Amino acid sequence: MTLNQLVLRSMRKNIKNYYLYVFALVFSVTLYYSFVTLQYNPAIVKEIGSGMSSAALKAGSYLLLFIVIFFVLYANKLFMNRRSKEIGLYQLVGMSKGLVTRLIAIENIILWLGSIILGVLMGFVTSRVFAMILLKILEKDAFVELTFSLEALLMTVIVFLLLLIVVILQTAIRIRRVSLLTLITTTGVADEKVKKFNAFHMFLGFIGLAFIGYGYYLSTSLLDLSNPDLTPNMLLFKMVSILILTVGGTYFVFRFSVAFILNLVRKSKKGLMSVQDVLSLSTIMHRMKSSAMSLTTITILSATTLGILTLSYISYYSVDTVAEEAIPYDYVMYEDTGFDLIEEFDKEEIQYTRDDIDLLAVEADVRSLLVKDAALNNDISTRLTIQVVSQKDIQSKLPNLQLKEGQGYIVGYDSLRAENIRIEAQKPIQFITSTGTEEVFITEVSEEYMVPNYHSYGFFTVVLEDSYFQKLLNDPLNENQMVVGMELQEVSQLKKAEKIFEANKVSVEIPYPSGIATKTVSVESQESYRLDLLNELGLTIFITGFLGLAFLITTGSILYFKQMSEADEEKATYTILRKIGFTTNEIMKGIHRKQLFNFGFPLAIGLAHSYFAVKSGWVFFGTELVAPLLITMGVYIILYSIFAILSAGYYRKVVEDAL
């Protein structure tokens, strides 16, 4: 029999093993080609340009390449483990290691070439879908054609041919270094089980839980800006400490805590263990030593992926709110700018309401507004320049607001500002005037925005009763600026209004409160600002979503492949159980418990890690936490559960075929 004939016969015989490997290859090629093609898609280049956007896509392709390499090398390792006995038998009948290596190399070349062709064809089709999704996220109205990119094809072929060489070298090194006996017994080696837990193991299990708990605690105070001891070096130290504590704690939990807890559960049974207990508790304990590192890696990868996805989605989800906060009206004009726009609106019969707002930059001491602990800290500077407005000027925005003499109402106090300065209502604020210090009682603190971001100076705004506002307006210490806000009455006129806005932009130099510098601002449009944010954040959410999907499928597939290998190794056990009378459903009850742990436990810890990571700094990414967090986690759990269902389905097939 020639080597070529042996290759063909071997491939036919191993068809049941090849589909896993082929899936990994085709999936990797499809993802990579689809993503790289986006850089050369004419519709994408036209709508988002070729500068920073192209650089972002290129950076994303490098990250995707890392995921692909990790996935393919792991799949190849698993594939070699499943064929180790066959490779050992080849050597046992007289084939040299070099000849066996050539045999496996030829098989790999055939599989890889076929997978590259199939993956490119699938990527050619899916690339249009991904391009449409990207343009949908960016709210670009463009037709996407099904285009073939020669540049993307060359990059894909070069990358995967180089990766093929690495895989062949990996296989050759494994065959040459591993003994014949090891190859034959690889799939039959049982994992070690720690039969007796001493005090040291118990201590390490407790340390793992304590590490994770303390890491979570540190994350809750990571960005406590009211803490005067929070220096850049201290911040870096806390971040590194959190990383070490959570990663190390996760490994200890899987390596010691889980096995210890399950051992206590097993002992509580007092020897009366059902078949479900044996198939769940015992198998998990037997494999926990060898599985600890892989489960830790999957957990950390899942937490990192989910955290990045959530933060990106928070930014995207908050675009509308951020635009409304930055520009509270549909159109905002400063000082004497933009009146040509008003004339054009009137000429084109654009229906709008108009608010003329006097803004005062007033120096104030907010110490009395601070929460008790912060107010007692004299190291915190509490004299700020803040904006004040009259109640009558923003009556259309707050129609139910009624202030009495000496009262004020704070707006624009969002979660980000709460991180900088923590205040509460039902307390006075002190204004610095030319006649001395005067107090105004703050009735309520609100997140609503009435003043454009530029004029809020990064802090909140105080709405004052009209008579007192007039008094401050006449004070020579205070600087006055005029803002005109225009709100469209008909949403259907927005597109028409935007065209008029683009043709009538006017800029003006406005001084900062200190008077030593100016800033150029123009007539501002909330819709234009929102679309600019989408252009900045839309590509980011697409790239992170794409990479997150790749990470999700990679980690889920790794667990799925691992469970398939374990199912094949345990087939003899299922055969014995079937022979002594246990039904498939009875056996599957224990297997379902095992799958719930193998998939559910890493997912649960990953969700907890990502939650505390996101919670520590989400305010810098957007205005809303709960909805984006729940949506992202919900989608992740649903997609992750698919692999658990597939794994349980494979176990059922193995159990049914065991007899």
Side-chain angles (χ1 to χ4, degrees):
M1 182 180 295
T2 64
L3 182 60
N4 291 337
Q5 291 174 328
L6 187 59
V7 168
L8 294 176
R9 178 170 294 185
S10 174
M11 293 183 71
R12 285 197 302 267
K13 178 184 176 183
N14 288 286
I15 191 67
K16 66 178 182 179
N17 295 327
Y18 278 134
Y19 81 92
L20 283 175
Y21 197 40
V22 170
F23 166 78
L25 293 176
V26 173
F27 166 75
S28 301
V29 174
T30 300
L31 274 187
Y32 189 77
Y33 179 80
S34 298
F35 193 83
V36 173
T37 300
L38 293 176
Q39 301 175 40
Y40 307 99
N41 189 293
I44 299 297
V45 174
K46 178 182 177 182
E47 293 295 334
I48 66 176
S50 58
M52 292 297 293
S53 300
S54 178
L57 288 172
K58 187 171 292 185
S61 67
Y62 293 143
L63 292 173
L64 180 61
L65 180 60
F66 168 77
I67 300 172
V68 166
I69 292 174
F70 173 75
F71 186 38
V72 169
L73 292 182
Y74 182 87
N76 182 66
K77 178 184 176 182
L78 178 65
F79 182 61
M80 290 300 297
N81 284 341
R82 292 170 69 90
R83 295 191 61 190
S84 58
K85 184 176 293 187
E86 176 191 349
I87 295 172
L89 290 175
Y90 282 147
Q91 296 184 38
L92 192 63
V93 298
M95 292 179 64
S96 65
K97 290 187 176 182
L99 188 58
V100 175
T101 302
R102 286 175 57 194
L103 171 68
I104 302 299
I106 293 173
E107 289 184 13
N108 269 315
I109 292 172
I110 295 173
L111 286 176
W112 277 67
L113 290 179
S115 299
I116 290 174
I117 294 172
L118 184 58
V120 168
L121 291 175
M122 294 179 63
F124 173 64
V125 176
T126 56
S127 62
R128 182 171 183 263
V129 176
F130 289 125
M132 293 170 63
I133 293 173
L134 174 56
L135 293 177
K136 181 68 174 178
I137 291 174
L138 297 175
E139 294 188 10
K140 301 288 187 180
D141 188 12
F143 178 74
V144 181
E145 296 181 351
L146 190 62
T147 57
F148 179 78
S149 172
L150 182 60
E151 295 90 342
L153 175 63
L154 290 176
M155 289 181 62
T156 303
V157 170
I158 291 172
V159 164
F160 281 89
L161 286 181
L162 291 175
L163 193 52
L164 171 60
I165 295 174
V166 173
V167 166
I168 292 175
L169 290 175
Q170 180 190 33
T171 303
I173 293 172
R174 175 182 172 84
I175 293 175
R176 290 185 178 277
R177 288 187 175 180
V178 179
S179 66
L180 176 61
L181 180 62
T182 303
L183 285 170
I184 293 176
T185 59
T186 294
T187 57
V189 176
D191 290 324
E192 179 184 351
K193 167 181 169 289
V194 181
K195 296 181 179 179
K196 185 177 180 180
F197 287 88
N198 54 38
F200 182 66
H201 292 146
M202 295 172 60
F203 175 73
L204 290 179
F206 173 77
I207 285 294
L209 297 173
F211 274 9
I212 292 177
Y214 188 60
Y216 289 169
Y217 169 75
L218 287 180
S219 70
T220 59
S221 59
L222 179 64
L223 298 174
D224 185 4
L225 302 181
S226 63
N227 183 2
D229 298 328
L230 187 62
T231 62
N233 290 335
M234 178 59 68
L235 180 63
L236 178 62
F237 175 75
K238 290 180 71 173
M239 292 173 66
V240 173
S241 299
I242 291 170
L243 180 63
I244 294 174
L245 287 170
T246 51
V247 174
T250 302
Y251 176 76
F252 281 0
V253 164
F254 282 117
R255 179 65 181 86
F256 299 104
S257 304
V258 171
F260 174 67
I261 293 172
L262 293 181
N263 194 53
L264 292 179
V265 174
R266 183 177 63 86
K267 287 184 176 181
S268 69
K269 301 286 185 177
K270 298 180 179 181
L272 301 176
M273 295 186 62
S274 65
V275 66
Q276 289 81 17
D277 295 330
V278 173
L279 291 174
S280 56
L281 296 178
S282 299
T283 54
I284 292 172
M285 292 170 64
H286 272 78
R287 297 184 181 275
M288 188 47 61
K289 181 178 180 179
S290 62
S291 299
M293 182 57 71
S294 62
L295 290 177
T296 300
T297 302
I298 290 171
T299 300
I300 299 302
L301 284 176
S302 297
T304 304
T305 302
L306 193 54
I308 294 173
L309 280 173
T310 303
L311 291 175
S312 299
Y313 189 52
I314 285 174
S315 299
Y316 182 75
Y317 188 90
S318 304
V319 163
D320 290 350
T321 305
V322 170
E324 290 176 4
E325 291 178 354
I327 305 173
Y329 293 84
D330 288 330
Y331 298 94
V332 172
M333 294 168 288
Y334 302 97
E335 300 294 340
D336 57 351
T337 65
F339 290 99
D340 290 340
L341 178 65
I342 296 177
E343 293 176 2
E344 289 296 322
F345 276 6
D346 293 337
K347 186 185 301 182
E348 297 295 331
E349 298 183 349
I350 302 293
Q351 302 298 315
Y352 63 88
T353 58
R354 172 177 169 175
D355 287 339
D356 294 346
I357 305 172
D358 274 315
L359 294 177
L360 286 182
V362 182
E363 188 175 4
D365 191 333
V366 300
R367 183 172 298 279
S368 55
L369 283 178
L370 299 178
V371 295
K372 184 176 181 181
D373 294 338
L376 296 176
N377 189 346
N378 293 322
D379 294 330
I380 300 177
S381 176
T382 58
R383 289 182 67 127
L384 309 169
T385 298
I386 61 176
Q387 286 287 353
V388 298
V389 297
S390 172
Q391 178 184 344
K392 67 178 179 60
D393 286 347
I394 51 95
Q395 196 71 48
S396 63
K397 287 283 188 178
L398 297 173
N400 297 322
L401 178 62
Q402 297 294 329
L403 294 176
K404 298 178 181 179
E405 185 176 355
Q407 291 183 338
Y409 181 90
I410 286 180
V411 295
Y413 184 70
D414 59 13
S415 52
L416 180 57
R417 286 167 175 79
E419 289 292 332
N420 288 278
I421 181 169
R422 297 177 181 176
I423 63 174
E424 53 189 358
Q426 300 299 310
K427 289 183 177 181
I429 184 174
Q430 295 180 339
F431 287 112
I432 313 300
T433 68
S434 57
T435 58
T437 301
E438 299 180 5
E439 288 190 348
V440 171
F441 186 77
I442 300 300
T443 60
E444 191 174 344
V445 175
S446 169
E447 293 186 6
E448 297 172 283
Y449 275 78
M450 305 294 138
V451 177
N453 264 355
Y454 165 72
H455 287 282
S456 66
Y457 309 142
F459 298 104
F460 49 80
T461 301
V462 180
V463 181
L464 295 176
E465 184 267 336
D466 297 338
S467 61
Y468 186 69
F469 176 84
Q470 191 64 37
K471 178 181 178 181
L472 292 180
L473 183 64
N474 297 327
D475 194 313
L477 289 182
N478 303 326
E479 300 177 13
N480 176 31
Q481 292 178 351
M482 173 65 72
V483 171
V484 177
M486 299 171 60
E487 199 80 27
L488 297 181
Q489 293 182 352
E490 299 290 340
V491 178
S492 59
Q493 292 186 315
L494 179 60
K495 288 187 177 181
K496 185 177 180 180
E498 280 296 296
K499 291 181 180 179
I500 299 173
F501 162 75
E502 291 294 334
N504 291 272
K505 284 186 178 180
V506 183
S507 299
V508 63
E509 295 286 328
I510 295 183
Y512 283 100
S514 61
I516 62 175
T518 61
K519 176 183 178 181
T520 301
V521 297
S522 63
V523 178
E524 293 186 303
S525 162
Q526 186 185 109
E527 176 66 9
S528 180
Y529 187 87
R530 188 184 72 86
L531 292 177
D532 288 341
L533 284 177
L534 274 181
N535 285 333
E536 295 174 8
L537 300 174
L539 188 59
T540 301
I541 187 65
F542 175 79
I543 293 175
T544 54
F546 195 99
L547 296 178
L549 176 65
F551 259 119
L552 170 63
I553 296 178
T554 298
T555 53
S557 296
I558 288 173
L559 270 177
Y560 175 54
F561 293 168
K562 192 173 186 300
Q563 293 306 302
M564 292 180 69
S565 296
E566 291 183 7
D568 291 337
E569 293 171 19
E570 295 168 0
K571 186 173 182 179
T573 302
Y574 305 143
T575 301
I576 295 173
L577 291 173
R578 292 290 303 279
K579 284 182 177 180
I580 61 178
F582 288 102
T583 65
T584 300
N585 289 335
E586 289 173 331
I587 296 174
M588 287 304 300
K589 288 180 181 179
I591 292 174
H592 286 155
R593 294 181 188 176
K594 176 185 173 183
Q595 297 309 298
L596 182 62
F597 171 83
N598 287 328
F599 284 90
F601 198 57
L603 178 61
I605 297 180
L607 291 174
H609 286 355
S610 64
Y611 169 76
F612 281 96
V614 169
K615 188 76 164 55
S616 65
W618 73 273
V619 292
F620 295 101
F621 292 85
T623 59
E624 181 67 34
L625 171 65
V626 178
L629 185 67
L630 292 179
I631 291 172
T632 307
M633 286 188 172
V635 172
Y636 200 89
I637 291 171
I638 291 172
L639 294 177
Y640 207 79
S641 300
I642 293 174
F643 292 98
I645 295 171
L646 291 174
S647 177
Y650 187 82
Y651 262 98
R652 176 173 288 276
K653 182 177 180 298
V654 171
V655 173
E656 290 174 348
D657 294 342
L659 188 63

